[in-house]
Amino acid sequence: MKYELTGKPDYALAEVTLNQGESITAEAGAMVAMSANMQIETKAKGGLLGGLKRMVVGESFFTNNFHPEGDAGTIKLAPRAPGDVEVLELKGESYMMQSGAYLAHVGDIEIDTKFGGFQSFFSGEGFFLIKVSGNGLVFFNSYGGLKKVSINGSYIVDTTHIVAFDSTISYNVEAVGGLKATFFSGEGLVCRYTGQGDLWIQTRSGPQFAGWLNPFRPVKSSKD
Amino acid sequence: MKIEIQNRPAYAIADVHLELGESVISEGGAMVSMTTDITVTTSTMSTGGGAGGLLKGLKRMLTGESFFLNKFTSSTGGHVSFAPTLIGDVEHITLDGTTNLVVQSSSFMACSEGLSMDTQFGGMKSLFAGESLFWIQFSGSGELLLNSFGGIFCKEIDGSFIVDTGHIVAFEDTLEYKIKKVGGLKATLLSGEGLVTEFYGKGRLFMQTHNASAFGGLLGPKLPPRQR
């Protein structure tokens, strides 16, 4: 297995070459192009219940498994939003990831859904986290650029800008500032991190862009 | 205050490093991340006359004319990262007190506390009919962070120059301007260029490569209708 990340950081694409007997699992819809000897197998990851759980966290119900037949093969994968792609090499560690940041994985990787916390249900921001662990590679993506922050102590991040973080860092979802700041600051909820480890943030926010776009939607007439 | 901009030009993000007791002011929603020594206070900015205050700010928010500002103050020395909503660049401009800069409201991202912000600047307020855009005049000396939709570029005008109004990011107030139609009536209605601004005199004009309302107008009709 070989991979190359091209088009970074604006329009990143993961180009993966697989030998016979090797395979990659990717989020449904991530495949851009592939060699003709690639075989595709669609699965509800983790069985039906796991699939439903994935749907709740805002990911697609299905994942696709690709493997070459007869010879080596290549596949190109891209995220849904314009942005960057990076790879985590896991050797037994685990990372938390914002739902939607997962692109693909190779090897013995377990994907578990985990909710971001009670408050997140009211934020309207869908702050759901998944946990990736095991041995292998995890391809993840961002909307906008990726910025790595090494935390040593504490740090605060807007929840919509979180991409992934070392699962050993502890976190708490909270409102920013006082009551007035919370309601009017436009900052919504933030995540307060404490501990030591790596954190990736994205330089643009999906919900914020959606909020910007909202006024441009046509208005429903009263007859409907 | 030290400012570092990364991921230019498409997904720019600005890290503002503050010293003990120093503050930076930003538009609401621009904060991405920060160190834990930072305290945040929110205030409203008066647009087009009248005092600020919470109630007026709320009213303006409902009428789509609001402008909330957040002040980030460091107690031990730290940093705040700011990013725009749309894809595009961030430009750092230092004002030295000799020339004022007029900024289109959605292009403002953050500034140092020492700059004074004036929204009373009337001339171009009604320029974008139906949009919650206005103009902010910055004076004094300090640091200013502007964002653009797409790339940002500067032109030193000496004479006259025409720019599509939706592409204006900021301009020095040494420039005079007038709003005009492009060409005759047929060109105004059919060219897709709408109204343009003609600047004349001497000074810097900052423009963006893309027009945000044109992009919104492109995507909006493809989305399901919203309730009024």
Side-chain angles (χ1 to χ4, degrees):
Chain A
M1 208 275 311
K2 269 192 330 203
Y3 71 87
E4 197 187 347
L5 302 176
T6 60
K8 277 171 73 68
D10 298 350
Y11 302 114
L13 184 73
E15 304 189 8
V16 183
T17 305
L18 299 169
N19 292 319
Q20 261 199 89
E22 293 176 330
S23 73
I24 187 166
T25 301
E27 189 201 20
M31 194 273 289
V32 175
M34 61 186 184
S35 42
N37 64 330
M38 274 295 190
Q39 303 299 309
I40 175 171
E41 195 186 335
T42 302
K43 289 183 193 163
K45 183 77 186 165
L48 189 64
L49 201 66
L52 282 171
K53 256 167 100 185
R54 289 168 65 83
M55 209 157 68
V56 170
V57 300
E59 271 190 280
S60 41
F61 190 96
F62 296 105
T63 56
N64 293 319
N65 189 267
F66 298 91
H67 67 271
E69 227 170 53
D71 199 356
T74 62
I75 179 165
K76 296 177 200 289
L77 302 167
R80 285 174 287 185
D84 209 352
V85 171
E86 266 304 331
V87 182
L88 288 169
E89 289 186 29
L90 298 188
K91 294 185 183 82
E93 318 91 304
S94 57
Y95 282 84
M96 305 301 288
M97 223 172 245
Q98 173 88 286
S99 64
Y102 169 83
L103 181 67
H105 75 266
V106 175
D108 184 19
I109 300 289
E110 193 179 332
I111 300 167
D112 194 11
T113 58
K114 194 164 183 174
F115 299 113
F118 181 68
Q119 279 162 303
S120 63
F121 284 107
F122 302 99
S123 71
E125 286 176 354
F127 181 60
F128 291 115
L129 295 172
I130 59 172
K131 188 176 186 175
V132 295
S133 52
N135 286 286
L137 303 179
V138 178
F139 294 76
F140 65 103
N141 59 257
S142 61
Y143 172 44
L146 268 176
K147 190 176 168 213
K148 187 175 172 180
V149 181
S150 293
I151 297 180
N152 188 6
S154 58
Y155 200 62
I156 289 171
V157 184
D158 180 288
T159 54
T160 68
H161 284 274
I162 295 165
V163 177
F165 54 93
D166 195 323
S167 68
T168 58
I169 315 174
S170 61
Y171 64 95
N172 194 29
V173 178
E174 60 182 42
V176 67
L179 191 65
K180 189 178 156 192
T182 306
F183 281 121
F184 301 111
S185 67
E187 303 296 353
L189 295 174
V190 295
C191 213
R192 179 185 289 264
Y193 289 98
T194 317
Q196 245 183 337
D198 290 336
L199 162 78
W200 282 266
I201 60 184
Q202 57 189 7
T203 65
R204 294 294 179 274
S205 154
Q208 205 175 344
F209 174 62
W212 175 85
L213 193 56
N214 192 48
F216 291 98
R217 289 166 63 192
V219 176
K220 204 172 199 166
S221 77
S222 51
K223 275 177 268 171
D224 297 339
Chain B
M1 181 178 296
K2 218 182 86 210
I3 294 168
E4 229 181 317
I5 304 173
Q6 297 167 358
N7 274 299
R8 298 186 70 174
Y11 301 123
I13 183 167
D15 292 352
V16 178
H17 298 272
L18 299 171
E19 283 169 33
L20 190 150
E22 223 176 10
S23 295
V24 61
I25 289 161
S26 81
E27 56 137 351
M31 190 274 289
V32 173
S33 66
M34 60 188 187
T35 48
T36 49
D37 63 299
I38 307 275
T39 52
V40 188
T41 52
T42 301
S43 64
T44 55
M45 191 165 85
S46 164
T47 65
L54 190 62
L55 207 65
K56 283 225 164 114
L58 185 60
K59 205 171 140 195
R60 284 191 199 97
M61 188 162 76
L62 296 173
T63 57
E65 216 194 304
S66 90
F67 210 68
F68 286 97
L69 296 175
N70 291 330
K71 183 167 143 184
F72 299 85
T73 309
S74 171
S75 58
T76 59
H79 75 260
V80 189
S81 298
F82 297 109
T85 299
L86 296 175
I87 286 174
D89 207 354
V90 170
E91 184 81 17
H92 173 197
I93 296 169
T94 302
L95 296 186
D96 62 4
T98 58
T99 311
N100 301 336
L101 195 72
V102 178
V103 176
Q104 192 246 99
S105 61
S106 70
S107 299
F108 167 68
M109 195 167 81
C111 69
S112 57
E113 204 186 4
L115 284 179
S116 69
M117 302 170 75
D118 183 9
T119 54
Q120 312 301 311
F121 186 85
M124 295 169 85
K125 188 164 181 284
S126 57
L127 212 58
F128 300 89
E131 288 174 45
S132 56
L133 296 182
F134 50 93
W135 299 84
I136 310 167
Q137 186 170 37
F138 288 88
S139 55
S141 54
E143 312 304 324
L144 185 58
L145 285 170
L146 303 182
N147 59 251
S148 57
F149 178 41
I152 191 166
F153 60 106
C154 176
K155 178 156 178 74
E156 302 260 357
I157 294 173
D158 188 3
S160 66
F161 191 66
I162 287 172
V163 59
D164 181 280
T165 310
H167 289 264
I168 302 171
V169 171
F171 57 92
E172 288 177 339
D173 75 347
T174 51
L175 287 170
E176 308 263 347
Y177 61 85
K178 59 179 181 230
I179 313 297
K180 52 189 268 187
K181 295 180 190 117
V182 61
L185 185 66
K186 192 174 155 196
T188 303
L189 294 176
L190 306 175
S191 69
E193 300 298 343
L195 293 173
V196 295
T197 304
E198 182 171 346
F199 286 95
Y200 45 102
K202 226 176 147 131
R204 287 189 298 169
L205 167 68
F206 294 89
M207 290 165 276
Q208 55 193 4
T209 58
H210 294 270
N211 179 331
S213 56
F215 180 54
L218 181 74
L219 290 183
K222 300 186 200 306
L223 298 173
R226 63 193 163 99
Q227 298 289 348
R228 186 180 289 280

